Structure formats: structure tokens, C-alpha cells
Amino acid sequence: MDYLKEIEGLVIKGILTEPDFEKLNALNNQYVLHIIHQFVDLCKPSKLTVISDSEKDIMYVRQKAIEKHEESKLNINGHTVHFDGFITMSNHDQARDKGNTKILIPKGGYKPPALNTVDRDEGLLEVLKIMEGCMKGNECIIRFFCLGPKNSKFSILSLQLTDSLYVAHSEDLLYRAGYEEFKKLNNSDNFFYFIHSAGELIGDPPVTKNLKDRRIYVDLKESRVLSVNNQYAGNSLGLKKLALRLAIHKANNEDWLTEHYFIMGVCPKGKNRVTYFAGAYPSACGKTSTAMLPGQQVVGDDIAYLRSWDDGFAHAVNIERGIFGIIKDVNPIDDPVIYEALTTPRETIFSNILIKDGESYWLGMGKDAPNEGFNFSGNWNDKKTDENGNSIPLAHPNARYTIRLSELSNTDNRLEDPEGVPLHGIFYGGRDSNTMPPVIESLNWEHGIFLGATIESETTSATIGTEGVRKSSPMANLDFLVVPLGKYLNNHEKFGNQLKHCPKVFSTNYFLKGEKGKYLNGILDKKVWIIWAEGRTQGDFEAIKTPIGYLPLYKDLKNLFELELGKSYSETDYIEQFSIRIKNILAKFDRMETMFKAEKDIPEFIWTILNKQKTDLIKLKNDKGKDVIFPNDFIKK
Ligand code: SPV
Ligand code: MN
């Protein structure tokens, strides 16, 4: 079929303007034309608008989002607010919908046990039926983006069709423009594509009506995701978690890594150096706030691509150029950089917060909020409950903000470096109240992979479902792991072992609690753990070798608390925080064993480490005659 002729036919029908047709024609890419033809035919929008990289086109999206009430202007210049659908506190579109996110599996293909899957033919039939006519009467925006810096070996191009102006606008803040990059593709199909529709809308502001027909179907075979009847960015924005799944598949069939990593430049006081680290934490476990720690430099807060580089290091790029961050608890004390950015004029989209007289309010912002206003549930007051009698907080715990990184005072100047940044270390962490110490260094690369593979976290509001349930999430990536876990872990091992300068791996835990259920650390204490890890990669500190990894020495932490936070740190606190809780760790290993057994082909090195750690801990317990071992017990007197 001559797709150019078909698309030209849309001009005659009045769906596409002549200049927009020319923009598509100039791409010289039959695959792009084919996709547009196919999905216009299916979704039946009444208008197609092509957005190039020009300021005029980008401005059009911003203005349309306001015109359609998908966003409303707030008092501060450049600020807008968007709301996602809400029925009750447990039935809503305010977080990622894992239940309706499914991987389409061709006959006989591998089904990842931790994800929802559906037979590819059946799934396509189902979702394409739901998408039939889903854009009727609406405008469909066509946008082109580049995942990663321009002119970079790391980067992957992406095409997005959406009828949500909020989605198209958010992607502009979060991703690099890619229309001109598509022109350089030379008529190839080497790109990802995403078709999204918010579906039928209801109310003002307009939200998705048919949440029960929400579907997010990932088609690895065609490098595409079809997403319908949702607006929340983690479900709707193709380039975010949908592209993460496609990229994990691609990377794991090649020789690089796609990770749920932040990237930061760690800058210890008085050292005049920047050392790059990446890190993975499950949602709402301090990932963004680590990357944004005062005095440090942020490269990215969510997704990274890694490749081994000529200098012998693993290099990483942020595939995004913005932040879609949790706003809860952003306040001047704990997150000063973000707080400043969110309370001054700049292009910012808030979602699911409370608005009163054009001012924004959120949970934990450190100032009094009004007792009524407009929020994610509509008109709100502090007595409001949902139909199940659950009280509705002033803002959703997963309320968010979207801003460009270039707006922040602490953005690292290598964000756009096509070569990425060299990684000296990797952090893995979870929300763990009683098992792992605040920071440990792995014994070696394989043990580092083990630490990443055994992240456990108590669930949060970032996904729909009960909060506070302990779940394992290897590399904080389990929700997105469309390849077998065994293959993924093997890839990690190979990736690190070919490097001349393999990153050191650290596990962190910001959520350790004491006997009385109180957190043992302040929110900013994480800065000390990060700076200690940086020092370890530079040979600054000695450490205590234990069966589960290297622990910091008290004197080094004491100095760092003083230097970095101006705080005193007592030896009693150190001992409580850095004790090895053998019983709890062994119980965790039992849970890990169950998880690994549910998978096939978990690499041998993981079993070897698991078994050795178990034996070593049992021996330690017997030797010392106690279950909780203090760090000083390892130091020869
Ligand atoms: C996460 O939940 O890991 C996020 C937000 O980064 S979302 O876009 O919803 O995935
Ligand atoms: Mn994330």
C-alpha cells in the first residue's frame, strides 16, 4: 500500500492540514506513515496534529492542554495542575496499574512469572477492540522524541500518538525533542512507538470514564505499547515505564543494560571532585531525593541506559531530561532544591494535589494547608470520605510534579553528554524496617548483583494496591522485567566482568526502625551514606569485612556527619543501626530462595552466594553465641 497517498487522503478529508502532511512527508519514513495510517483508521480521531521540534508547535500543545481543561493555570507563572481519574481510594487512576499492564506473549514464548501476561493474538484482539473509535471527535497529537542525548550511541527514537494533551505536554518536559532525529533514520523501523488514548472523558476537569477498560499492553515483537482508558503518567506516557519495558527487552538481547536508575554526581565536601553513581530503589523509597541531595549534582532520577565504554568504565545516560517526582514530603528542610523549584515561576505540571484560590498544597510540604479546596477527588474538605468510608487526604500520596531538569540549580553539566558519565558506584535500596543496615558495600561485583537482586520493599502508594506489604523487586525493576530474571542477572554479571573498572556496589536502607517503631535515621542522613560510598570508591576509608558485606567504621561516619550535616553521631546510634540482625537476614534469604525458585535458570553464582551467606551467618551466630552482632564484634581486639 502507498501509505503516503493514504495519509494525503487525510488532508482531503480535512483531518490533517497541508503543512502537517508536509511535516510527515519530510521524515521520509514509510514505517511512521504505516503506523499513523493504521491507528488513525482504528482510533478515528477527527483531527491529527503533527508536532515538530519548533517552539511554535510545542507552544500549541501547552495551550491546547489548558483549552481542553486537561490542565489549569495556577497563580505562579508557568504552573499548571492536572487531575487523573478517581473513584475511591482503592479504585483510581492515580498510580501505575500493574493488574492491567500485560505483556503480549507469542505462542510458546517465555512468561515472566512476576508479570501479567496474555497470549499475543488474544491480547491484541482484546485491546484493538477497546481502541476501536476511542479517539472519535478528538484530536490526536503525533510527537517524536529521543530517549537519551542527541547524537548518542545510547539513544533510541520514539513515536507517540495520543489524544491527551496532558500526556503530550508532559512528554515535552520529560524527553528530548526527536522530530529532526527521525529525519536521520533513513527510512528505518529502528524506533519504539506508543499509541495512547485517555478514552471517553467525563467531568471538568475531564478524566477517563471507563477505568475498568484500562489496558496497557506491551508488544515486544513490534517494539510498541498500546495504552487506553488512563491518564496517570506511569500508565499513559509511552516514553516512561512503557519504553522501559521495551528497552529492557532490547538491551537483554544485546550487550548493554536498561535500568530503573537515578544518576548523580557525588561531591564530597572539601575534595573538589565529582564521582558518578547510579542507583535503583523501588518507587517512593527515596530515589529522587537521593539524586537531589543538597550539594550533589543530578543527572537523572528514574531511568538509565548503560554501555561499556572505551575508558574501561560503564557509562550511563539519563534517557529523560525531566523529573516526574513524588511531591509528598517535598519541603524546605528535606528537599530544599526541589521545594525552591516548585514554588517559583517555571513550566511545571502538578498532578493530584490540592488547589485553593490558585495556590498549590500537598502532603508534608511543611506549611499549613487549607481545610477545603479542589483536589483529586473533586471539591474537597477535610471531613470528606470515599464511598467506602475511607478518608480522603488533601492530596494524593502519589501526587506528582513534572519539571525540566535544566530548570534546577543542581543539574550536572553532563546531562546532554552523548558519551554519558562514567559510573564508579551503584546503589540498591528498599523500604526495609528491620533487616539490612543503612549502608553496606558488596564483597565483589557478583555479590553486588546479589544485593540488587535481593532488594525487598514494603509497598507504597506508587502502585495500586495495599500499602506496607513486603515485596521483592530485583534491581527495583521487577515490574518492568519482561525478560527472564535469570537472563537479566546473567547479563549483569557479564556486563560488569568485561569492564576494566567495574563499579562498586552498595546497598542502602533509609527506613530502618528501632524497637519502638521509630525511624532510626533522619531524612538527610542518607547524604552521609552516599558520601561514605563515594569515599570507598576513591580509597578514602577503611571498612569492616562481614559475611554480608563491608560496613563503615564509626570514626569515619562520625566525621562525615559533622562535616556534611553539622550533626553529632553517637556510637550508640551507630551500633544500633549497623548491627547484623542474623535472624531477620536469614528469614529474608528464605523468602529470596522462594522467589528465585519460581524463576527458571537463575545463575549458579546467585545460589552460591546465597548458600555461602547462609552458612557464614549461622556460623557467626554460633561462634558469637548471639543473634545480633555489633560492628565492633568484627574488629580484632
Ligand atoms: C515509579 O513508580 O517508578 C515512577 C513513577 O517513577 S511512574 O511513572 O508512575 O512509574
Ligand atoms: Mn520509577
Side-chain angles (χ1 to χ4, degrees):
M1 191 184 279
D2 183 348
Y3 295 113
L4 193 63
K5 267 238 134 38
E6 294 291 326
I7 300 287
E8 210 169 1
L10 298 174
V11 180
I12 298 158
K13 284 188 196 153
I15 292 176
L16 184 68
T17 65
E18 188 74 43
D20 277 8
F21 168 73
E22 283 310 326
K23 284 182 210 160
L24 293 178
N25 192 15
L27 294 174
N28 240 324
N29 190 304
Q30 58 162 326
Y31 298 99
V32 171
L33 296 178
H34 182 187
I35 291 162
I36 294 173
H37 170 258
Q38 183 188 354
F39 284 94
V40 166
D41 216 38
L42 179 78
C43 304
K44 303 195 171 33
S46 54
K47 185 173 179 211
L48 264 188
T49 304
V50 182
I51 305 298
S52 72
D53 300 346
S54 78
E55 187 50 33
K56 179 168 159 265
D57 283 7
I58 292 164
M59 181 64 86
Y60 174 87
V61 172
R62 273 183 217 136
Q63 283 170 346
K64 271 277 161 171
I66 305 273
E67 242 173 68
K68 285 192 63 187
H69 291 200
E70 283 194 64
E71 291 173 37
S72 307
K73 286 190 179 180
L74 300 171
N75 292 347
I76 297 179
N77 205 12
H79 289 198
T80 58
V81 62
H82 162 84
F83 292 101
D84 298 310
F86 173 84
I87 299 169
T88 66
M89 287 307 290
S90 54
N91 180 12
H92 55 72
D93 187 26
Q94 310 272 328
R96 270 191 284 116
D97 176 7
K98 294 207 287 185
N100 285 307
T101 301
K102 295 188 184 168
I103 317 300
L104 304 176
I105 307 288
K107 301 257 176 309
Y110 172 81
K111 294 184 191 156
L115 301 186
N116 292 306
T117 58
V118 56
D119 171 78
R120 183 168 183 273
D121 296 337
E122 268 173 43
L124 278 178
L125 211 63
E126 180 196 3
V127 70
L128 293 176
K129 179 105 190 55
I130 294 176
M131 292 182 93
E132 223 176 274
C134 64
M135 295 186 187
K136 254 189 196 153
N138 287 332
E139 175 174 1
C140 174
I141 303 289
I142 302 178
R143 292 206 74 156
F144 304 87
F145 293 102
C146 180
L147 289 162
K150 289 190 183 161
N151 301 312
S152 167
K153 184 177 176 197
F154 288 87
S155 300
I156 298 175
L157 298 185
S158 290
L159 164 67
Q160 171 86 61
L161 271 65
T162 179
D163 59 7
S164 163
L165 275 298
Y166 159 72
V167 166
H169 181 201
S170 299
E171 287 181 332
D172 187 54
L173 293 174
L174 294 173
Y175 303 98
R176 285 114 172 156
Y179 174 76
E180 294 302 326
E181 298 290 301
F182 260 80
K183 282 187 181 166
K184 300 180 203 155
L185 260 185
N186 268 334
N187 197 20
S188 116
D189 66 349
N190 189 13
F191 59 88
F192 295 156
Y193 74 93
F194 307 97
I195 314 294
H196 168 258
S197 169
E200 197 180 332
L201 299 174
I202 183 171
D204 186 10
V207 294
T208 295
K209 182 178 168 200
N210 301 313
L211 288 184
K212 65 171 184 12
D213 290 331
R214 177 171 43 197
R215 298 288 183 278
I216 301 120
Y217 280 10
V218 182
D219 187 8
L220 302 171
K221 188 159 177 262
E222 297 281 337
S223 291
R224 66 178 175 182
V225 182
L226 309 176
S227 170
V228 62
N229 289 313
N230 64 69
Q231 291 167 302
Y232 173 72
N235 300 320
S236 62
L237 264 60
L239 285 88
K240 207 168 206 357
K241 292 312 193 306
L242 315 188
L244 173 59
R245 296 179 175 98
L246 298 180
I248 285 175
H249 181 251
K250 191 168 164 60
N252 278 271
N253 286 308
E254 299 173 6
D255 59 353
W256 51 288
L257 302 178
T258 297
E259 297 302 316
H260 195 193
Y261 280 167
F262 70 74
I263 308 170
M264 71 188 290
V266 181
C267 312
K269 262 198 186 146
K271 296 279 187 191
N272 203 16
R273 66 181 183 224
V274 184
T275 311
Y276 291 99
F277 272 72
Y281 301 68
S283 312
C285 290
K287 189 146 68 97
T288 304
S289 61
T290 302
M292 297 290 298
L293 274 167
Q296 316 305 304
Q297 293 169 193
V298 58
V299 182
D301 87 320
D302 202 28
I303 304 168
Y305 294 167
L306 274 70
R307 284 180 178 272
S308 75
W309 216 252
D310 298 347
D311 58 4
F313 282 93
H315 277 224
V317 297
N318 178 10
I319 59 119
E320 307 188 287
R321 65 156 176 186
I323 299 188
F324 175 62
I326 294 181
I327 201 164
K328 180 170 174 259
D329 295 332
V330 172
N331 60 57
I333 308 291
D334 300 325
D335 274 309
V337 183
I338 305 180
Y339 189 83
E340 163 69 19
L342 296 184
T343 48
T344 45
R346 73 197 68 250
E347 193 172 355
T348 308
I349 309 173
F350 294 86
S351 57
N352 306 321
I353 57 167
L354 175 74
I355 304 299
K356 168 87 174 164
D357 301 329
E359 298 287 327
S360 15
Y361 300 90
W362 57 87
L363 297 168
M365 75 186 297
K367 79 176 194 197
D368 287 343
N371 53 12
E372 53 165 35
F374 194 93
N375 77 357
F376 63 99
S377 72
N379 286 317
W380 175 85
N381 63 57
D382 58 6
K383 308 273 168 335
K384 190 169 179 181
T385 54
D386 70 8
E387 64 193 37
N388 302 322
N390 295 313
S391 73
I392 297 177
L394 70 100
H396 197 275
N398 194 34
R400 301 251 172 181
Y401 60 89
T402 305
I403 46 170
R404 280 197 191 90
L405 274 162
S406 59
E407 297 278 355
L408 300 175
S409 54
N410 59 338
T411 296
D412 188 79
N413 60 15
R414 290 177 71 175
L415 170 63
E416 297 301 339
D417 191 333
E419 299 202 352
V421 295
L423 295 182
H424 289 244
I426 296 172
F427 294 110
Y428 288 112
R431 184 176 287 265
D432 160 12
S433 53
N434 64 4
T435 306
M436 296 297 275
V439 63
I440 59 173
E441 178 188 324
S442 72
L443 298 164
N444 51 42
W445 173 244
E446 282 78 7
H447 178 233
I449 299 171
F450 179 83
L451 288 178
T454 55
I455 292 181
E456 276 191 311
S457 202
E458 290 140 32
T459 48
T460 68
S461 61
T463 54
I464 299 170
T466 322
E467 287 181 38
V469 182
R470 203 181 288 249
K471 292 235 164 96
S472 57
S473 179
M475 280 69 176
N477 222 354
L478 193 64
D479 290 354
F480 317 107
L481 264 196
V482 295
V483 297
L485 177 62
K487 177 174 186 170
Y488 174 74
L489 296 176
N490 250 325
N491 251 29
H492 267 263
E493 189 207 20
K494 273 200 273 167
F495 181 81
N497 280 328
Q498 63 174 334
L499 297 167
K500 191 159 158 234
H501 306 289
C502 191
K504 280 186 185 284
V505 182
F506 299 84
S507 92
T508 61
N509 178 16
Y510 305 154
F511 300 93
L512 196 59
K513 289 181 177 172
E515 298 277 290
K516 297 199 179 106
K518 237 183 106 210
Y519 286 116
L520 292 181
N521 290 106
I523 290 183
L524 282 178
D525 290 3
K526 57 169 89 75
K527 187 169 176 185
V528 170
W529 320 142
I530 301 303
I531 303 280
W532 177 78
E534 192 273 348
R536 282 292 293 167
T537 68
Q538 299 285 351
D540 287 356
F541 306 121
E542 298 289 313
I544 305 168
K545 191 170 185 190
T546 81
I548 61 160
Y550 292 97
L551 297 180
L553 292 169
Y554 170 63
K555 69 173 170 65
D556 295 325
L557 294 185
K558 181 176 183 305
N559 289 341
L560 289 177
F561 265 92
E562 185 61 47
L563 179 72
E564 296 284 347
L565 299 176
K567 248 172 94 167
S568 62
Y569 183 59
S570 75
E571 190 154 17
T572 322
D573 283 352
Y574 167 74
I575 291 170
E576 182 171 20
Q577 293 164 15
F578 285 89
S579 286
I580 299 199
R581 297 159 178 78
I582 296 182
K583 189 170 107 225
N584 295 356
I585 297 176
L586 288 175
K588 169 176 171 159
F589 286 169
D590 285 345
R591 294 190 295 274
M592 297 300 102
E593 202 166 321
T594 311
M595 169 184 69
F596 291 141
K597 277 190 178 149
E599 300 273 348
K600 65 172 192 162
D601 301 332
I602 291 296
E604 203 45 50
F605 77 90
I606 293 284
W607 290 117
T608 309
I609 294 172
L610 184 74
N611 292 330
K612 172 144 177 38
Q613 300 237 315
K614 268 168 98 168
T615 319
D616 287 354
L617 285 175
I618 292 166
K619 180 168 182 309
L620 183 64
K621 184 175 155 174
N622 292 339
D623 286 354
K624 302 280 180 198
K626 58 181 183 178
D627 187 56
V628 176
I629 314 294
F630 304 145
N632 298 352
D633 291 339
F634 294 98
I635 299 175
K636 290 199 181 71
K637 303 268 164 31

